[in-house]
């Protein structure tokens, strides 16, 4: 089993990331973006790309930093702490991992553009209200030498601004992953008004024409490329959620040490102390699962499914508990829009749903453990 | 065939053999030795209470294989793999200790010996004991010759352990001990006891306690087993009536015993939570399922959901224990976070046994039913979150010492 203690390099990375984000992307920046009705901050993403974050999983041959999934998890966790809005997960983690599975000249060129912050992706997968890759219905019909795509995708995170889309489609023999420009004829995008004020988009595919060149990997075999990409995304999203949980907890802990009622700090009341201690314990336990998932993806990616599902399942539960307790312990002020804790609750709910909820990942764990 | 002679391990302990024998070479050598030396009867994995070898003067081996296994492992220092070679251990570092546990698990080998001497007294003596105490007491523990019990709690000192009142008077050439301990695990079967006694009644309660080693065969020591809800009587009352104890039996400084107690409580918490995590592998649930359902699959949706949740939490708690062990090994220590390990591990173990009872249904409501020992095991887990500090004490330790919330 991998060593689960954070290394000195990882601690230094986390400190550097935190330092930048506290200046460039504190929660107030997210609030300003929300107030302006925007769901993207292109300038911020270019700055992140300059620091190598967009290329965290891009090979050095394509100009990336190639730092691995544990490092990507650290970046995601720190971003989660201040609710950073960026295409990091969709582009730098999911798309980059998918493209790496192919690594032909076209994929390497795309990876190079990703590393520079010049190309963004979104994963168009969900069709119903629940994550279910195997249940994909969007059709890829063979027409002449090419394909025609018809159907709809929903809850496409970062889908409104992405330059390209990874689209999971069903053909006669199985599932195929297409890599299409988002502005191809027949693709119609409708922004959704999400509770977490981020970009999620519904997309219609009406007689969209594609060729064999638009396929990422091999026809009828999407999962060879997609499974590693999904697992990388799920692990990084779990890390991000844990960052969200940690920050919500820290805010709450500060409040317990500051707010007075009945002539005493409310943090001196045992009823609240024990709930805070329980929450801290849950975060510690989940953090182990996060570190483990990053290590497994780096060291034994073919056998990382259990570790990833464990991390995603635990992270969703823990983030939800952290924000539920956070709002409750803040009392009335926690219900106000002017106070930040509500942002954390809404972000946690969206993140817990994306790329598979607790039930989805619990089912994975159950099957892998034989019951 | 010996795979790690004391001499080689001593070199390893000094790091001089690292170049010659990388961890994987160690693994191969260990695997070969274990395969050759572990008797077939000892390859039935972590079994219940009746599969444990506790050792001690009065120990009756349940089979020849149990004795062979103990003797062979003790000869290699592997009953206490991380203890120094000089006192009967194998001197393994953390990486090799992990490999040791992985290889033992791969062979489904039983632990050759368990005891409070290994878990508790050993770590205390290694840290606080004199050289003479280490040489006297540790080797017999590694060989399973002396069985120890722990004398901490008293009728008036449970969660508030520092209130111990058992009196220890300095009589010049010896100590005289009077008082009562309770919840002394296996006191009726132990050869020696390590106890917290009050040596200064005038000092503040944490500053008048000493850590004393007492031979249970001394005149004036009596024990009385307590029947528990599980039907077992592992816990005892232990009485000290004018018991004479040699003065060299104090560990560390007189009146500084609380330091050792605190250190050991940390160990105990890790141990209890580790034991809890160990019980949470797929096997325990699988075994009950195999009995309870025709195909070993859970079809009841509610039970299945709880089983999945338990499995997820078990895996994550297990990883957390590993992470903190790695951290302790790297010198950063565990400290008050052991309260978190203890709290999460024991609460999970209780929950898991409630699940097992539910899966087994009415078959588990019979002391002598098909799920051998399950009702007793389930009832036993209820003590997990009480012994070694209750869950509520753990949460208070976390909130005060880790989170810095006001007392």
């Amino acid at each position: 089993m991998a060593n689960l203690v954070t290394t000195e390099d990882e601690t230094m990375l986390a400190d550097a990331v935190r330092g930048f984000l506290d200046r460039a992307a504190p929660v107030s920046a997210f609030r300003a973006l929300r107030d302006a009705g925007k769901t993207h901050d292109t300038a911020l993403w270019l700055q992140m790309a300059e620091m190598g974050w967009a290329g965290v999983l891009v090979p050095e041959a394509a100009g990336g930093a190639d730092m691995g999934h544990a490092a990507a998890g650290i970046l995601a966790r720190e971003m989660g702490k201040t609710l950073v809005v960026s295409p990091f997960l969709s582009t730098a983690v999911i798309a980059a991992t998918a493209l790496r599975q192919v690594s032909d000249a076209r994929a390497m060129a795309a990876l190079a553009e990703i590393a520079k912050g010049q190309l963004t992706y979104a994963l168009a997968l969900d069709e119903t209200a629940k994550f279910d890759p195997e249940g994909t219905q969007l059709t890829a019909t063979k027409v002449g030498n090419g394909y025609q795509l018809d159907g709809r995708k929903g809850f496409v995170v970062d889908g409104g601004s992405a330059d390209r889309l990874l689209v999971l489609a069903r053909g006669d023999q199985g599932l195929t992953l297409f890599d299409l420009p988002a502005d191809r004829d027949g693709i119609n995008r409708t922004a959704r008004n999400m509770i977490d004020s981020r970009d999620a988009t519904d997309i219609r595919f009406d007689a969209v024409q594609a060729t064999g060149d638009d396929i990422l990997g091999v026809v009828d075999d999407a999962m060879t490329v997609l499974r590693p990409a999904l697992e990388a995304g799920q692990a990084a999203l779990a890390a991000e959620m844990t960052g969200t949980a940690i920050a919500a907890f820290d805010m709450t802990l500060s409040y317990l040490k500051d707010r007075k009622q009945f002539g005493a700090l409310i943090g001196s009341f045992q009823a609240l102390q024990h709930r805070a201690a329980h929450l801290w314990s849950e975060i510690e336990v989940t953090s182990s699962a996060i570190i483990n998932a990053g290590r497994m993806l780096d060291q034994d990616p073919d056998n990382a499914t259990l570790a990833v599902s464990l991390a995603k399942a635990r992270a969703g539960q823990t983030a939800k508990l952290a924000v539920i307790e956070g709002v409750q312990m803040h009392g009335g002020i926690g219900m106000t829009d002017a106070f930040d804790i509500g942002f954390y609750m809404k972000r946690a709910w969206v993140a817990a749903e994306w790329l598979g909820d607790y039930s989805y990942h619990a089912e994975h764990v159950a099957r892998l453990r034989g019951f | 065939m010996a795979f790690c002679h004391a001499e080689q391990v001593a070199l390893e302990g000094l790091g001089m053999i690292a170049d010659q024998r990388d961890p994987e070479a160690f693994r191969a050598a260990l695997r070969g030795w274990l395969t050759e030396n572990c008797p077939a009867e000892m390859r039935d994995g972590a079994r219940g209470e009746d599969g444990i070898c506790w050792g001690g003067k009065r120990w009756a081996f349940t089979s020849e294989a149990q004795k062979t296994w103990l003797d062979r492992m003790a000869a290699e220092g592997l009953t206490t793999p991380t203890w120094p070679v000089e006192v009967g251990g194998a001197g393994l570092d953390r990486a090799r200790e992990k490999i040791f546990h992985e290889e033992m698990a791969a062979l489904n080998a039983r632990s050759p010996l368990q005891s409070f001497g290994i878990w508790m007294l050993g770590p205390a003596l290694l840290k606080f004991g004199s050289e003479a105490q280490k040489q006297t007491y540790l080797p017999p523990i590694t060989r399973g010759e002396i069985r120890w019990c722990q004398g901490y709690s008293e009728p008036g000192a449970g969660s508030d352990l520092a209130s111990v009142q058992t009196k220890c008077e300095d009589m010049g050439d010896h100590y005289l001990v009077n008082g009562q301990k309770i919840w002394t695990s296996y006191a009726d079967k132990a050869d020696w006891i390590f106890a917290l006694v009050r040596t200064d009644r005038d000092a503040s309660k944490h500053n008048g306690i000493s850590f004393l080693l007492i031979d249970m065969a001394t005149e004036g020591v009596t024990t009385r087993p307590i029947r528990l809800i599980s039907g077992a009587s592992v816990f005892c009352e232990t009485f000290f009536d004018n018991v004479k104890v040699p003065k060299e039996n104090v560990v560390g400084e007189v009146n500084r015993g609380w330091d050792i107690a605190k250190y050991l409580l940390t160990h105990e918490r890790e141990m209890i939570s580790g034991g809890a995590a160990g019980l949470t592998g797929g096997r325990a649930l699988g075994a009950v399922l195999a009995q309870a359902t025709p195909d070993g699959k859970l079809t009841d949706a509610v039970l299945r959901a709880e089983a999945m949740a338990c499995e997820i939490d078990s895996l994550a708690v297990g990883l957390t224990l590993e992470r903190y062990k790695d951290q302790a090994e790297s010198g950063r220590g565990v400290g008050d976070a052991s309260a978190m390990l203890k709290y999460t591990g024991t609460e999970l173990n209780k929950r898991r046994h409630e699940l097992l009872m539910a899966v087994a249904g009415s078959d588990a409501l019979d002391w002598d039913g098909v799920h051998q020992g399950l009702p007793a095991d389930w009832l036993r887990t209820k003590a997990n979150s009480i012994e070694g500090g209750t869950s509520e004490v753990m949460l208070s330790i976390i909130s005060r010492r880790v989170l810095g919330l006001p007392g």
Side-chain angles (χ1 to χ4, degrees):
Chain A
M1 184 189 287
N3 189 306
L4 299 176
V5 179
T6 305
T7 65
E8 273 182 42
D9 284 351
E10 288 171 337
T11 304
M12 281 167 57
L13 174 67
D15 289 345
V17 172
R18 186 74 265 137
F20 170 78
L21 292 176
D22 280 342
R23 274 181 284 112
V27 185
S28 57
F30 167 69
R31 178 181 291 278
L33 209 63
R34 193 276 311 249
D35 290 346
K38 292 184 183 167
T39 53
H40 299 281
D41 185 344
T42 308
L44 178 66
W45 182 236
L46 286 172
Q47 279 182 283
M48 291 184 185
E50 259 176 48
M51 289 183 295
W53 300 4
V56 66
L57 295 176
V58 171
E60 287 178 11
D66 202 8
M67 293 166 74
H69 295 278
I74 288 169
L75 289 169
R77 184 190 69 201
E78 295 306 319
M79 291 185 208
K81 285 181 184 172
T82 43
L83 308 176
V84 173
V85 174
S86 86
F88 179 74
L89 291 175
S90 300
T91 299
V93 177
I94 297 172
T97 304
L99 289 161
R100 272 190 92 144
Q101 308 306 312
V102 180
S103 283
D104 58 12
R106 191 175 61 95
M108 290 299 273
L111 283 164
E113 290 299 297
I114 285 176
K116 281 188 266 181
Q118 298 296 336
L119 178 65
T120 59
Y121 269 88
L123 175 66
L125 194 153
D126 290 8
E127 297 179 5
T128 66
K130 285 293 173 187
F131 179 76
D132 179 22
E134 301 297 337
T136 294
Q137 296 296 324
L138 184 140
T139 54
T141 313
K142 195 105 175 69
V143 178
N145 287 329
Y147 300 87
Q148 175 174 313
L149 274 57
D150 290 283
R152 65 170 294 276
K153 295 287 184 183
F155 189 35
V156 179
V157 174
D158 298 323
S161 67
D163 302 312
R164 297 185 71 89
L165 302 172
L166 294 180
V167 185
L168 187 60
R170 181 169 296 282
D172 293 339
Q173 307 295 322
L175 296 171
T176 302
L177 189 63
F178 288 87
D179 177 353
L180 304 173
D183 57 1
R184 182 161 291 180
D185 283 350
I187 294 179
N188 288 297
R189 299 189 273 183
T190 310
R192 284 170 61 167
N193 186 18
M194 300 298 288
I195 58 171
D196 69 341
S197 308
R198 285 192 304 164
D199 173 9
T201 300
D202 289 340
I203 307 181
R204 285 201 58 81
F205 293 77
D206 295 315
V208 174
Q209 302 302 308
T211 70
D213 288 343
D214 293 322
I215 293 171
L216 199 59
V218 178
V219 68
D220 296 329
D221 181 23
M223 284 305 161
T224 300
V225 169
L226 188 57
R227 187 191 54 80
L230 285 175
E231 289 180 358
Q234 286 154 347
L237 179 57
E240 186 197 274
M241 275 192 280
T242 304
T244 301
I246 290 169
F249 176 70
D250 286 346
M251 282 174 72
T252 305
L253 189 61
S254 298
Y255 193 70
L256 292 178
K257 293 176 181 178
D258 181 57
R259 170 75 170 167
K260 281 188 173 177
Q261 287 288 275
F262 306 104
L265 291 172
I266 61 172
S268 68
F269 302 142
Q270 198 175 56
L272 296 184
Q273 287 185 345
H274 283 192
R275 281 165 62 175
H278 172 75
L279 177 53
W280 180 79
S281 300
E282 290 293 301
I283 291 172
E284 279 296 304
V285 170
T286 296
S287 296
S288 310
I290 302 301
I291 296 167
N292 184 55
R295 296 267 188 274
M296 284 298 288
L297 284 170
D298 284 334
Q299 293 169 17
D300 191 7
D302 293 338
N303 295 300
T305 306
L306 177 66
V308 169
S309 278
L310 177 66
K312 181 66 168 68
R314 279 285 316 187
Q317 295 297 86
T318 301
K320 285 183 173 181
L321 181 67
V323 295
I324 288 168
E325 291 291 73
V327 168
Q328 176 66 19
M329 291 192 202
H330 276 88
I333 193 146
M335 292 300 298
T336 64
D337 183 76
F339 206 77
D340 290 338
I341 191 80
F343 286 155
Y344 285 83
M345 177 170 276
K346 290 175 275 193
R347 172 70 78 104
W349 243 257
V350 174
E353 195 64 44
W354 191 30
L355 302 179
D357 66 359
Y358 182 82
S359 301
Y360 177 87
H361 290 287
E363 189 63 45
H364 265 239
V365 172
R367 264 190 276 129
L368 289 164
R369 299 290 285 184
F371 63 91
Chain B
M1 182 202 78
F3 84 94
C4 52
H5 301 290
E7 200 178 279
Q8 265 182 326
V9 176
L11 287 172
E12 249 177 333
L14 294 169
M16 289 168 64
I17 206 165
D19 294 340
Q20 303 160 38
R21 179 178 276 177
D22 68 321
E24 288 314 308
F26 169 78
R27 182 191 294 279
L30 175 65
R31 182 178 299 173
W33 187 88
L34 287 174
T35 308
E36 197 168 316
N37 286 281
C38 182
E41 301 97 302
M42 295 293 106
R43 301 186 188 191
D44 57 356
R47 304 202 330 154
E49 195 80 5
D50 57 338
I52 296 174
C53 175
W54 290 97
K57 288 180 188 167
R58 287 173 280 168
W59 181 252
F61 288 97
T62 55
S63 66
E64 192 56 36
Q66 192 184 49
K67 181 176 184 342
T68 304
W69 184 222
L70 170 61
D71 289 344
R72 286 178 181 170
M73 289 288 273
E76 296 296 335
L78 291 174
T79 52
T80 52
T82 61
W83 289 14
V85 175
E86 304 79 59
V87 296
L92 302 188
D93 60 14
R94 172 76 178 129
R96 285 171 176 75
E97 185 202 1
K98 263 191 178 181
I99 290 170
F100 171 74
H101 289 303
E102 285 166 8
E103 291 303 318
M104 287 283 282
L107 204 62
N108 211 14
R110 282 196 211 176
S111 168
L113 177 67
Q114 297 188 31
S115 75
F116 287 87
I118 294 175
W119 295 322
M120 310 289 294
L121 182 65
L125 287 183
L126 285 170
K127 190 170 171 72
F128 297 95
S130 65
E131 271 316 305
Q133 286 170 336
K134 289 180 198 174
Q135 289 304 333
T136 304
Y137 297 110
L138 295 180
I141 291 174
T142 68
R143 296 191 295 262
E145 292 165 1
I146 296 292
R147 183 170 178 178
W148 287 83
C149 65
Q150 170 184 276
Y152 274 23
S153 296
E154 297 179 4
S159 286
D160 183 13
L161 182 61
S163 297
V164 289
Q165 295 301 326
T166 293
K167 191 162 67 174
C168 178
E169 293 169 279
D170 188 340
M171 307 303 282
D173 62 342
H174 67 274
Y175 288 116
L176 195 65
V177 178
N178 280 285
Q180 181 193 348
K181 294 289 176 183
I182 196 167
W183 316 129
T184 343
S185 306
Y186 303 109
D188 54 334
K189 297 181 172 66
D191 306 305
W192 281 69
I193 185 169
F194 53 95
L196 296 179
V197 294
R198 187 152 298 281
T199 35
D200 185 346
R201 307 191 80 79
D202 300 324
S204 65
K205 72 177 182 181
H206 294 95
N207 292 320
I209 296 170
S210 297
F211 192 95
L212 192 64
L213 309 178
I214 305 170
D215 187 340
M216 296 289 279
T218 317
E219 196 181 338
V221 180
T222 51
T223 63
R224 189 160 68 201
I226 304 166
R227 187 175 163 86
L228 300 175
I229 56 173
S230 63
S233 304
V234 296
F235 296 132
C236 296
E237 291 176 288
T238 304
F239 302 92
F240 301 93
D241 185 13
N242 287 322
V243 174
K244 285 186 184 178
V245 180
K247 296 192 77 167
E248 65 264 27
N249 286 18
V250 169
V251 178
E253 280 180 55
V254 174
N255 291 331
R256 299 303 306 167
W258 186 247
D259 295 340
I260 306 176
K262 270 197 302 185
Y263 173 76
L264 275 189
L265 281 169
T266 303
H267 256 272
E268 185 179 17
R269 281 164 200 157
E270 286 171 38
M271 182 187 95
I272 293 169
S273 81
L279 284 169
T280 55
R283 199 163 17 207
L285 176 60
V288 174
L289 272 178
Q291 282 281 357
T293 64
D295 60 354
K297 301 281 179 203
L298 258 180
T299 48
D300 181 292
V302 175
L303 282 181
R304 190 159 186 278
E306 175 55 15
M308 291 193 289
C310 257
E311 194 69 8
I312 285 170
D313 293 345
S314 301
L315 290 167
V317 167
L319 288 170
T320 306
L321 204 63
E322 287 299 320
R323 178 161 70 91
Y324 271 93
K325 276 191 197 167
D326 287 338
Q327 187 169 314
E329 178 71 9
S330 72
R332 278 189 260 174
V334 172
D336 294 322
S338 68
M340 175 273 296
L341 299 175
K342 204 263 176 185
Y343 167 64
T344 52
T346 57
E347 291 297 331
L348 177 66
N349 203 36
K350 288 197 297 182
R351 205 175 115 204
R352 186 166 182 90
H353 278 79
E354 283 155 18
L355 168 71
L356 295 179
M357 289 295 287
V359 169
S362 62
D363 283 347
L365 302 178
D366 172 353
W367 293 114
D368 306 316
V370 293
H371 299 285
Q372 285 185 351
L374 178 58
D377 284 352
W378 159 65
L379 289 162
R380 174 65 182 84
T381 62
K382 298 305 177 200
N384 293 163
S385 54
I386 300 169
E387 60 202 339
T390 63
S391 284
E392 290 69 27
V393 168
M394 295 305 103
L395 290 171
S396 289
I397 288 173
I398 294 167
S399 57
R400 307 262 169 85
R401 302 207 199 127
V402 179
L403 305 182
L405 289 168

